[in-house]
Amino acid sequence: MKRTNSQNIWLKRQNKDIFVKLSKAKGYRSRAAYKLIEINKKFKIINQNSKVVDLGASPGGWTQVVVELQNKKNQIIAIDKKKMEPVDNCKFIYNDISDFLKHDEVLERNYFDVILSDMAPNSSGHRFTDQANAEKVYYLAQSFAFKYLAKNGNFVCKFFRNSSEKTILQNIKKRFSFVKTFKPNSSRKDSKEIYLIAIGFNNLHKD
Ligand SMILES: C[S@@+](CC[C@H](N)C(=O)[O-])C[C@H]1O[C@@H](n2cnc3c(N)ncnc32)[C@H](O)[C@@H]1O
């Protein structure tokens, strides 16, 4: 089958990309694994005993990194609306986070030490629609974190630079003792994605 021009550009970039090569060599399912490795190296958000939930986990690169960091005492919970091949020591929940939050009987509230979200909506090709969808996905992750984080827990969440960045940060700063944004080297320079790093959840009773 003949490739389109944009498929050719994507393929060329993939073949040259150092993080694609590294993830293949190390057996990670996605180059995204390196973003979490960088985040954890700098901010130490996950330790070997952390109870972790990974939102938007498929195909599983971040989940693999968390499992490697841990002593296997706690099972990591991974959730995605896309299926994922099993990862050792991980319980996978196949669901959309918006549905999960409506029927949240499965997980214990205010229990987890770390909530990770690398969730991203599919691109529609329309700038404003994409922006609105990205914001919706961010707020789903935020609601999840406010419900399930334990006191002093940490929240790491992808979001896309846009007009509501200031509001997002203002809100988050009220709930955590340390908040920063971070763009890992492994995040493509031309992508608007950035990661919110929020440490020390200090407000359990506002929702
Ligand atoms: C960039 S990928 C995550 C890559 C993953 N962190 C890794 O390292 O392999 C984004 C994922 O978010 C998921 N996602 C987006 N919106 C979602 C939602 N509302 N509920 C559950 N998963 C969602 C997508 O299905 C997709 O698998």
Side-chain angles (χ1 to χ4, degrees):
M1 202 169 56
K2 207 166 176 275
R3 286 192 204 104
T4 63
N5 207 21
S6 62
Q7 282 171 329
N8 276 329
I9 293 171
W10 182 87
L11 205 64
K12 226 174 178 177
R13 189 168 74 167
Q14 279 296 94
N15 289 338
K16 277 204 306 199
D17 189 307
I18 177 78
F19 293 105
V20 172
K21 286 183 188 151
L22 278 173
S23 14
K24 275 192 187 145
K26 293 271 185 182
Y28 291 127
R29 295 175 184 180
S30 63
R31 75 186 285 296
Y34 281 92
K35 300 177 196 171
L36 185 61
I37 290 172
E38 279 186 63
I39 290 170
N40 201 51
K41 208 167 171 189
K42 192 166 169 68
F43 298 99
K44 315 269 182 292
I45 38 140
I46 303 162
N47 67 41
Q48 55 171 4
N49 296 311
S50 306
K51 297 194 267 301
V52 182
V53 182
D54 182 10
L55 305 177
S58 186
W62 280 32
T63 308
Q64 290 176 298
V65 172
V66 176
V67 168
E68 276 175 10
L69 289 166
Q70 298 207 307
N71 61 12
K72 317 272 185 294
K73 222 176 70 194
N74 298 308
Q75 210 184 26
I76 169 170
I77 308 291
I79 312 180
D80 203 298
K81 62 181 179 180
K82 236 187 249 164
K83 288 206 168 137
M84 180 167 118
E85 290 297 316
V87 173
D88 272 356
N89 213 44
C90 163
K91 176 182 160 65
F92 178 67
I93 299 174
Y94 177 41
N95 206 347
D96 190 302
I97 299 300
S98 58
D99 291 333
F100 185 89
L101 285 169
K102 283 181 211 144
H103 315 282
D104 58 344
E105 309 295 313
V106 191
L107 302 178
E108 195 175 329
R109 274 183 150 210
N110 299 128
Y111 175 76
F112 293 91
D113 304 305
V114 183
I115 308 292
L116 304 172
S117 171
D118 194 27
M119 281 196 287
N122 291 334
S123 168
S124 71
H126 302 286
R127 192 157 66 90
F128 292 116
T129 311
D130 285 350
Q131 202 164 301
N133 288 341
E135 232 170 84
K136 216 162 107 188
V137 161
Y138 168 79
Y139 281 109
L140 283 176
Q142 185 189 278
S143 301
F144 192 99
F146 288 173
K147 237 177 200 175
Y148 292 106
L149 265 185
K151 190 162 171 53
N152 294 323
N154 305 327
F155 176 42
V156 172
C157 187
K158 170 159 49 203
F159 73 102
F160 293 86
R161 289 216 125 127
N162 59 31
S163 49
S164 61
E165 185 177 341
K166 219 171 133 194
T167 321
I168 288 175
L169 290 177
Q170 270 169 358
N171 279 336
I172 281 290
K173 280 180 180 161
K174 291 184 202 148
R175 302 291 190 102
F176 291 84
S177 16
F178 172 91
V179 174
K180 241 190 147 55
T181 55
F182 179 64
K183 174 99 176 159
N185 285 325
S186 46
S187 170
R188 299 192 199 276
K189 305 286 170 281
D190 57 354
S191 155
K192 284 205 180 332
E193 77 175 8
I194 186 153
Y195 289 85
L196 169 79
I197 315 289
I199 294 177
F201 187 48
N202 59 21
N203 195 332
L204 300 178
H205 302 296
K206 285 207 168 164
D207 290 301

